[in-house]
Amino acid sequence: MTQWVYPFGAGKAEGRAEMKDLLGGKGANLAEMSNLGLPVPPGFTITTEACIWYYKNGNDYPPELEAQVDKALEHVAGLVDRGFGDSEHPLLVSVRSGARASMPGMMDTVLNLGLNDRTVEGLARLADDERFALDSYRRFIHMYSDVVLGVEHHLFEEILETYKEDLGVSLDTELEARHWRDIIKSYKAKVEEELGHPFPQDVREQLWGAIGAVFGSWHSARAKTYRKLHAIPEDWGTAVNVQAMVFGNMGETSATGVAFTRNPSTGAHEFYGEYLVNAQGEDVVAGIRTPQYLTRVARERAGVSAPSMEEVMPQVFGQLTDVYKKLEAHYRDMQDIEFTVERGRLWMLQTRSGKRTAKAALKIAVDMAAENLITREEAIKRIDPASLDQLLHPTLDPKARRDVVTKGLPASPGAASGEIVFKADEAEKLKAAGRKLILVRVETSPEDIHGMHAAEGILTSRGGMTSHAAVVARGMGRPCVSGAGALRIDYATETMVVGGRKFSAGDIITIDGSSGEVMAGAVATVQPELSGDFGTLMVWADAVRRLKVRANAETPQDAATARKFGAEGIGLCRTEHMFFDEARILAVREMILADDEAGRRAALAKILPMQRADFVELFRIMAGLPVTIRLLDPPLHEFVPKTDEEIAALATASGLDAAKLKSRAADLHEFNPMLGHRGCRLGISYPEIYEMQAQAIFEAAIEAGGIAGSPVVPEVMIPLVATKRELDLLKARIDTVAAQVSKAKGQSVNYLVGTMIELPRAALMANEIAQSAEFFSFGTNDLTQTTYGISRDDAAGFLDDYLRNGIFAIDPFVSLDVDGVGELVKIAAQRGRATRPDVKLGICGEHGGDPASIAFCESVGLDYVSCSPYRVPIARLAAAQAALMNK
Amino acid sequence: MTQWVYPFGAGKAEGRAEMKDLLGGKGANLAEMSNLGLPVPPGFTITTEACIWYYKNGNDYPPELEAQVDKALEHVAGLVDRGFGDSEHPLLVSVRSGARASMPGMMDTVLNLGLNDRTVEGLARLADDERFALDSYRRFIHMYSDVVLGVEHHLFEEILETYKEDLGVSLDTELEARHWRDIIKSYKAKVEEELGHPFPQDVREQLWGAIGAVFGSWHSARAKTYRKLHAIPEDWGTAVNVQAMVFGNMGETSATGVAFTRNPSTGAHEFYGEYLVNAQGEDVVAGIRTPQYLTRVARERAGVSAPSMEEVMPQVFGQLTDVYKKLEAHYRDMQDIEFTVERGRLWMLQTRSGKRTAKAALKIAVDMAAENLITREEAIKRIDPASLDQLLHPTLDPKARRDVVTKGLPASPGAASGEIVFKADEAEKLKAAGRKLILVRVETSPEDIHGMHAAEGILTSRGGMTSHAAVVARGMGRPCVSGAGALRIDYATETMVVGGRKFSAGDIITIDGSSGEVMAGAVATVQPELSGDFGTLMVWADAVRRLKVRANAETPQDAATARKFGAEGIGLCRTEHMFFDEARILAVREMILADDEAGRRAALAKILPMQRADFVELFRIMAGLPVTIRLLDPPLHEFVPKTDEEIAALATASGLDAAKLKSRAADLHEFNPMLGHRGCRLGISYPEIYEMQAQAIFEAAIEAGGIAGSPVVPEVMIPLVATKRELDLLKARIDTVAAQVSKAKGQSVNYLVGTMIELPRAALMANEIAQSAEFFSFGTNDLTQTTYGISRDDAAGFLDDYLRNGIFAIDPFVSLDVDGVGELVKIAAQRGRATRPDVKLGICGEHGGDPASIAFCESVGLDYVSCSPYRVPIARLAAAQAALMNK
């Protein structure tokens, strides 16, 4: 018989931390903590398999489930000496979701389940606190009705607010037991009015309703959005954790809190967190009350007077310290814990690996390796390469003038400028139009996730360091300033006022998530610091990786950035990018629109010295590292003047007839330029273009070699090859140019000639092509376009539909499609090497900077990856991880 | 030691007919005729390998060649009892090219080689005819200087014309020996003036010059063009035939002629040809003098008085009759022969399989099978399937009014209308602009081939049935009327005058190449006759082929044509083609530009009954044969209104706002629509479109099944699938619709759901896709586009460059790229069948009607090919040939 239910509590459990897939992260860790002997309220976990079964069987439960739940519930009741539905000693439980991957705030929770008109009286007697019992009951009715029964949240809030107004009070704490009785009556009446039947008094009906709601929330819109953003499969399902309630809201000796075993923002080795006296756990996470610090040091550093837990309840704090140290040592990672203190007794409700900023992750990994808690290889594996992106982008220039208008909490590091936007939907829309935005909210909720993703940064007026906004922003690598309480935000007029200054939607502001500062206008930035922990980890990564990492760069600035980030060469210099310069575009246009070869050669002669100078500079910066130069690739019409003014300017500059230029420009129009007259097809039709480029490359190599005192060996790359013959024809011309340059300069030039593999046919014919190509560079952007038949420029029209329908797990232009495009890469690598065992193999599409794609490149044994300069460190780390994975 | 030289003559030879690759067609057949004991002037053949060696070694000869040539020349001299360069008994030779494939008129020839100032006197004495000897010498100087030395042709013609004018005569025959002496002197002076050295008197120098010129002409521009048009590899090379001269111009008992053993135009079993008394062979082919008939019957039928060869020289004619019968029986094919009669003695100069019209080929093959000369399988193999095209297109409607302006020779059958164009370059240019043209020339030459190819038909005012124009037009399948002597063509004013009527470039005329009629204006046409020999051969072909043949058709007319031509089903019904109808486009546009699903559904409801009616009609015509219907495929914006008028009309019809429509239309713009939001991506984004189409199909199937009394099983095809999941999602919807229709109509529907394989990824993932697809149809148009990364719409910009540079042997959209695209087809077929052994496999791209591509389909074991209705017979024959080839 399938075991659908795993109990835990009282120092033992049937589950273990490793059983995350089956029990979800929360359930597995509750079991693990129980086994470690930590104080965990007893409970049980219904497996993710039960959820999967539920969805596969038309939202029905496995037949054995009910009996297993009953048995587990009895066991829990026994351990705490209560009875579920017992009017004297009522067992109350929490029901929480818990999937394999942490999905913070995305799944629904029900607390205080088991309360009804009878048990609430029992609870009042047991706790000797009628007000507490009634408060718990009204919370339960509210939460259960909202989450399980679908009665809208605000209906209950309105009842409460009206009641308080009528009573003339403003705080919940001013309400007494008899007031809660009235309110409970109104709540129940409202539920019956809304649903046509009363609030369930049967505690078993309550429990199964909650279990169903947890399963149901797996397919809620916001859970789906989260999974889409985080590439979590739809078919994992969630577990359900049913656990005896403990109460942080049983007066001043009770409390609830969340903590990290190290600082999740900086990585500092310090206990870090917040707590609230006399509150339930959800109160902290929701960011409704501003919580207090855990440690005295933290409180003092923040200059806050509200006492820390360390000061208020030193004994329990001492216990908590023992627990967190034990947990970190046991899990060998920084933990994110939740706890409740019920009348002076500590209960652990959760532990899990804590989310952290990239900077913190780096520091924690390097520190833990130094502490011998983990190995260097583990440290390497611990860092999500993509997260490094956060560290590699500019921060605010300390010397730049800052018009600081207010300060909030430094909730997620990094700085960003952008237009103010107040609504998530609007943010998403404007982002699609290429705008840079700062999302400004009173507080954020899961409904805002798409807007947070679209924004450059997030600013909230409420909530702490562990509020929804803070946690999600850190996960996304977006800068965030939270709890900037001086802000007055008015959604209706789309304005915010602070310190007497008014800002409207569209105004530019800057936030610094590392300092909490909010500034008017845009502020200049500086390059990130690449030494310290970052440098240490990079050294470790470089020691284990096999793949070389190059950069895609054309400009001296990009090349310099690439070297600074550790690029071992240039894998793709797109020569056409050198053509858009104001000073050159006229000559380029003259070349393109020339009537004949003579006209083109005349224009090319003007371009030659500029190209040569570009290459000299590039070779000089790269100082002997390999530089792969791709000859002209894009459809010529990309350079074609579009407006009459541009044509007139060109006519004047070139002395050519404007009408003729216009007609020639029209001739160059293509229906599908991506599949048109571009790449080596230009070289075949207009060999003089490639000849000029080859001449510039070889002359520059000689000149730069002379400056450096050592020879430069350029790698000349022919784009969009589909047949060996194309390569042969063009290689012959390049060889001829090399011989001519060599003769003219009296100096030999060494060079390689290779090809992009970016068409399915080229991949299939790699055995033939490798007879002539000394290297292959996989252009996986184009290869993805042709293999899938999808234009990256036009995919937006259906990409969302494809992600939503599970056709794409991830945009194939972001992460390489291993099954389809990957097979072609594999075929090409095998066939290429079969012909020429030492053919150099690299990848230079956007995928070259994507960790999953880099893992694939390692698995097929490519020699290098090439990516944008800022992604070079990501690639270095990902390559190291891939090497470790393949070990 | 390599044998570079193969002698023949005097009843034996070292070569054989099978050695065509080595000796070229002409050389191999000269050897074969020698071995058959036929009267062949002795000579020898320098092999094609020598030519290949020559090009591989920087235009140098193999070292052993000279000695081998010397020896062979001595042998020839011995046989004819002459000496090469001997002043008393001079041996004269012809030097001719001869490649593996016949390239008529493309290679250069030199006659009378061995004449110089001394040997010409010897020849005069031997022939006892000074004028003949001097005429031969002046012809030799002219021809040799032109072909070998590169002195321009017209320089000699000017000397001759001036001389005749000075002398006051108009015909060459009026010139006497002393005049020729003067002219020879002037010719030699001109050569020395042009080249700076005298005309070579050394006969060996003459010979090697001529051999070099033959080799050189292999790479002449016109030879390259011919090879490009006929897909002849560049590296075959040509052989050189050196043969003792015989003279058809030694007076009235001498003659020269060309003949076919059967009628090459109709295929009739009759000896057919032309001859000229007192002429050299080139005179007939060049079409300068109008030749006479060979047989009395032919002369009488033509109503001509100039006597036939049968009447003039009955004895030699009898000999010739014996020879041609022997040759046809020996070669088991219709022969094209050349002969010369020298003072009453017959010499055979050439035999080869004769070019023929498609109609003639059909008749000859069927007749020869009936005569038991060849088998039925051989008859099938004899017909070039592509040539059937000539028989399948309409001919002039006999009932249509014809404004006949003149009549010429019926040189190549078929009828065509078009604008008059006088220049080949112009024809090519206008054709590219989509114009239909008739190329009108005094006579054609190899320089005109590209223009002949571009024209619908060719009309000449000079030249016979075997003139350049006639031979080439028949080969190309273009109608041709030659020798329409009444035409006065003026290239300068681009006009032609006939019977007092003047026609200018751009005026429409019609030619009937089967009758020789030339008509003013366009003339209506009728469908071709498909019975007779055609029907017989088709029955034979159907008996041996394995591949089924279907048609691509949407309209009732196309479907009816397809059935008439023997289609066994519809392989591709492009539903979008049904949308362009005037009455429907508004509803379609309304659907496309709708804001939301409700708007789309409203418009689709209008389209549904029209689609259903289409399908009912199609199913009715196809009467139970399989019909594959492809759901909507093209980018939506193809249907989008482009002009403001169209938008206004749509706004009126739909009641929608014009500005909004315009903006939505702009949203639909794509950069690369071929790779954009099209195919099944539309079905994923707008499932209601495919649901409507499925509903129309299933309702129509039930309705048509009811009419026919037997069930219709439609094959529903999903286009542009790249992943199994796309197919699964859409198949689920189609199945749902089928169930709904079935329930509503109380009748079950049987159907298949399959997919196009037209993306490289689909081919690679065929194993997965076949889990859900019941059939694959290879869309090789799109598969070629994506595998090569070439848009068919944009390829024109470089296709010529690619053909000229030998990158493409043939346009890959015309004939399937077996190496690249073909490998993907092979992979998909294998993987698809591995998953689902009975998955039905077909091809529905343009390649489905291309014989070479059909051979490939047979080799990978597809189940059927589908092509345009007019190509169905071609496909049936090609499939039969492929089956025989694979046997």
Side-chain angles (χ1 to χ4, degrees), chain A residues 51 112 242 280 353 397 454 508 685 776 782 794 880:
Chain A
C51 179
N112 303 320
V242 178
Q280 282 202 330
S353 280
D397 181 352
I508 305 280
S685 294
F776 286 172
D782 271 289
D794 299 308

Side-chain angles (χ1 to χ4, degrees), chain A residues 179 361 398 498 535 602 617 632 742 786 852:
Chain A
H179 301 131
V498 59
E617 181 67 2
L632 195 70
S742 189
T786 45

Side-chain angles (χ1 to χ4, degrees), chain A residues 513-843:
Chain A
S514 308
S515 70
E517 286 178 331
V518 180
M519 291 144 276
V523 178
T525 54
V526 290
Q527 297 301 316
E529 169 68 65
L530 298 177
S531 52
D533 297 325
F534 178 85
T536 304
L537 193 85
M538 283 294 121
V539 169
W540 296 351
D542 290 349
V544 302
R545 75 181 154 90
R546 184 196 63 79
L547 275 168
K548 294 272 176 195
V549 176
R550 300 193 191 182
N552 302 343
E554 298 82 38
T555 65
Q557 192 191 328
D558 280 354
T561 304
R563 283 213 64 188
K564 195 181 66 188
F565 283 141
E568 293 159 302
I570 289 179
L572 178 62
C573 164
R574 290 153 290 209
T575 51
E576 59 271 17
H577 286 204
M578 301 165 155
F579 283 179
F580 283 106
D581 185 279
E582 187 74 45
R584 301 174 182 194
I585 189 76
L586 281 178
V588 173
R589 286 176 175 166
E590 189 182 329
M591 184 265 289
I592 291 167
L593 299 180
D595 267 340
D596 52 19
E597 187 181 329
R600 275 189 299 277
R601 287 202 184 269
L604 286 166
K606 298 183 195 171
I607 303 170
L608 173 66
M610 310 184 205
Q611 280 258 295
R612 185 174 48 221
D614 290 337
F615 295 138
V616 169
E617 181 67 2
L618 219 52
F619 292 146
R620 200 189 52 70
I621 293 169
M622 296 313 291
L625 291 173
V627 176
T628 306
I629 297 165
R630 182 177 71 186
L631 301 185
L632 195 70
D633 180 50
L636 285 185
H637 81 81
E638 282 194 12
F639 297 102
V640 163
K642 265 113 200 146
T643 64
D644 287 347
E645 291 71 40
E646 285 175 339
I647 288 176
L650 180 60
T652 308
S654 64
L656 298 171
D657 178 55
K660 228 167 121 183
L661 286 175
K662 199 168 177 176
S663 122
R664 172 100 175 108
D667 285 349
L668 287 173
H669 170 79
E670 295 191 307
F671 297 102
N672 296 285
M674 201 59 78
L675 306 178
H677 200 174
R678 53 172 287 228
C680 72
R681 296 163 198 167
L682 297 173
I684 297 288
S685 294
Y686 311 118
E688 54 277 8
I689 300 177
Y690 279 14
E691 284 173 3
M692 179 282 285
Q693 294 198 297
Q695 186 182 345
I697 291 167
F698 296 135
E699 289 178 355
I702 288 176
E703 190 176 332
I707 297 168
S710 64
V712 170
V713 182
E715 302 179 352
V716 181
M717 183 155 75
I718 314 286
L720 214 72
V721 161
T723 68
K724 172 173 178 286
R725 183 142 176 91
E726 289 167 316
L727 183 59
D728 287 345
L729 289 168
L730 295 169
K731 188 171 188 298
R733 294 215 177 230
I734 290 163
D735 290 343
T736 303
V737 171
Q740 285 163 350
V741 170
S742 189
K743 197 172 160 196
K745 303 279 177 189
Q747 205 175 324
S748 71
V749 277
N750 283 318
Y751 58 96
L752 302 178
V753 176
T755 174
M756 300 279 286
I757 300 288
E758 51 187 338
L759 296 174
R761 194 178 194 281
L764 294 168
M765 306 306 287
N767 44 356
E768 280 189 10
I769 291 172
Q771 288 166 18
S772 307
E774 292 169 298
F775 62 88
F776 286 172
S777 181
F778 290 96
T780 50
N781 294 350
D782 271 289
L783 192 59
T784 299
Q785 294 197 115
T786 45
T787 304
Y788 259 114
I790 293 177
S791 151
R792 194 160 54 144
D793 295 334
D794 299 308
F798 55 91
L799 191 59
D800 273 354
D801 298 330
Y802 267 52
L803 291 167
R804 203 183 51 240
N805 280 295
I807 298 169
F808 291 158
I810 183 167
D811 179 349
F813 293 105
V814 169
S815 199
L816 191 86
D817 160 43
V818 171
D819 292 339
V821 180
E823 179 169 2
L824 287 174
V825 171
K826 220 180 292 180
I827 286 172
Q830 283 164 355
R831 294 185 182 179
R833 284 193 166 129
T835 297
R836 184 190 291 262
D838 66 343
V839 63
K840 210 191 284 192
L841 302 178
I843 182 177

Side-chain angles (χ1 to χ4, degrees), chain A residues 685 726 801-802 823 831, chain B residues 685 726 801-802 817 823 831:
Chain A
S685 294
E726 289 167 316
D801 298 330
Y802 267 52
E823 179 169 2
R831 294 185 182 179
Chain B
S685 295
E726 290 167 315
D801 298 331
Y802 267 51
D817 161 43
E823 179 168 3
R831 294 186 182 179

